[in-house]
Amino acid sequence: MLDIDNQTLVKLSNLEKLEEIALVVGQQRNIELIFVDEKTIQEINKMHRNQNKPTDVLSFPLDDMGVIDFLLGSIVICIPIAEKMAIKYGHTLEEEVALLFIHGILHLQGYDHEIDQGEHREAEKKWVEYFKLPSSLIVRTME
């Protein structure tokens, strides 16, 4: 269900939580999850979104490429940014990665907080509460 490619030196614990999130939120479709550094995510962000800056998470749904398959898509999470956010918000790196992962999965499913009427925020809030995680990504940026 979940294929993790950690391209950083940071070792994350509790990967079982990510597996559970992938199974439940990802609707039993396979998801590729890649952990990268700031330089790598900046290059990806520039290439795919024309944004020459690092970001915390990027999602690449296969449906956008005309491929509907057992693979829902790929999510790229920047571990150094996740570490900074975890410190800033007073929770663990694993919790921050879980929050970013949920956020990314919802993007893979077509949610887009930049243009919707709050649907992404509500879905994210529901799953964050379900998995008993700290304040969600969208919620805390709107506070």
Side-chain angles (χ1 to χ4, degrees), residues 20-39:
E20 182 183 1
I21 291 169
L23 180 67
V24 175
V25 183
Q27 304 168 331
Q28 299 185 355
R29 291 176 67 191
N30 292 340
I31 299 170
E32 177 184 46
L33 177 59
I34 306 165
F35 299 132
V36 298
D37 60 23
E38 286 180 277
K39 180 178 182 255

Side-chain angles (χ1 to χ4, degrees), residues 4-130:
I4 299 175
D5 179 7
N6 187 351
Q7 298 178 7
T8 74
L9 299 176
V10 176
K11 299 295 180 216
L12 293 164
S13 62
N14 200 11
L15 295 179
E16 296 81 20
K17 182 69 135 189
L18 298 178
E19 292 275 356
E20 182 183 1
I21 291 169
L23 180 67
V24 175
V25 183
Q27 304 168 331
Q28 299 185 355
R29 291 176 67 191
N30 292 340
I31 299 170
E32 177 184 46
L33 177 59
I34 306 165
F35 299 132
V36 298
D37 60 23
E38 286 180 277
K39 180 178 182 255
T40 303
I41 206 156
Q42 181 170 343
E43 290 170 358
I44 296 168
N45 201 18
K46 182 178 179 185
M47 181 185 315
H48 293 279
R49 297 181 64 235
N50 203 26
Q51 303 264 335
N52 191 16
K53 62 183 180 180
T55 189
D56 50 4
V57 61
L58 292 171
S59 300
F60 299 96
L62 282 185
D63 290 355
D64 284 357
M65 295 180 257
V67 178
I68 299 176
D69 202 344
F70 66 94
L71 181 63
L72 187 59
S74 300
I75 297 171
V76 182
I77 293 177
C78 180
I79 294 299
I81 292 177
E83 287 174 318
K84 291 173 191 168
M85 298 308 284
I87 291 167
K88 178 178 178 179
Y89 290 103
H91 53 254
T92 68
L93 172 60
E94 285 75 12
E95 288 171 322
E96 183 66 21
V97 167
L99 289 169
L100 294 172
F101 188 46
I102 290 171
H103 184 84
I105 292 173
L106 293 172
H107 272 300
L108 294 181
Q109 294 172 342
Y111 289 92
D112 188 346
H113 55 91
E114 294 180 5
I115 60 171
D116 70 17
Q117 302 300 310
E119 294 89 353
H120 192 169
R121 180 181 187 273
E122 287 305 310
E124 188 171 291
K125 182 179 177 197
K126 175 184 87 170
W127 290 118
V128 165
E129 289 172 2
Y130 178 87

